[in-house]
Short mmCIF file of all heavy atoms in Angstrom, two decimals:
data_model
loop_
_atom_site.label_atom_id
_atom_site.label_comp_id
_atom_site.label_asym_id
_atom_site.label_seq_id
_atom_site.Cartn_x
_atom_site.Cartn_y
_atom_site.Cartn_z
N MET A 67 -4.76 -4.96 19.55
CA MET A 67 -3.63 -5.35 18.73
C MET A 67 -3.50 -4.35 17.58
O MET A 67 -4.47 -4.03 16.90
CB MET A 67 -3.87 -6.76 18.19
CG MET A 67 -2.81 -7.25 17.25
SD MET A 67 -1.15 -7.42 17.92
CE MET A 67 -1.37 -8.61 19.19
N GLN A 111 9.30 9.17 -2.10
CA GLN A 111 8.43 10.23 -2.62
C GLN A 111 9.03 10.93 -3.83
O GLN A 111 8.30 11.51 -4.63
CB GLN A 111 8.12 11.28 -1.54
CG GLN A 111 7.13 10.80 -0.51
CD GLN A 111 7.82 10.27 0.73
OE1 GLN A 111 9.00 9.98 0.74
NE2 GLN A 111 7.06 10.12 1.79
N GLN A 129 -5.60 -11.96 14.90
CA GLN A 129 -6.20 -12.61 13.73
C GLN A 129 -7.05 -11.63 12.93
O GLN A 129 -7.00 -11.61 11.70
CB GLN A 129 -7.06 -13.82 14.15
CG GLN A 129 -6.26 -14.98 14.71
CD GLN A 129 -5.89 -14.79 16.19
OE1 GLN A 129 -6.43 -13.90 16.85
NE2 GLN A 129 -4.97 -15.59 16.67
#
Side-chain angles (χ1 to χ4, degrees):
M67 176 63 62
Q111 285 97 343
Q129 292 81 13

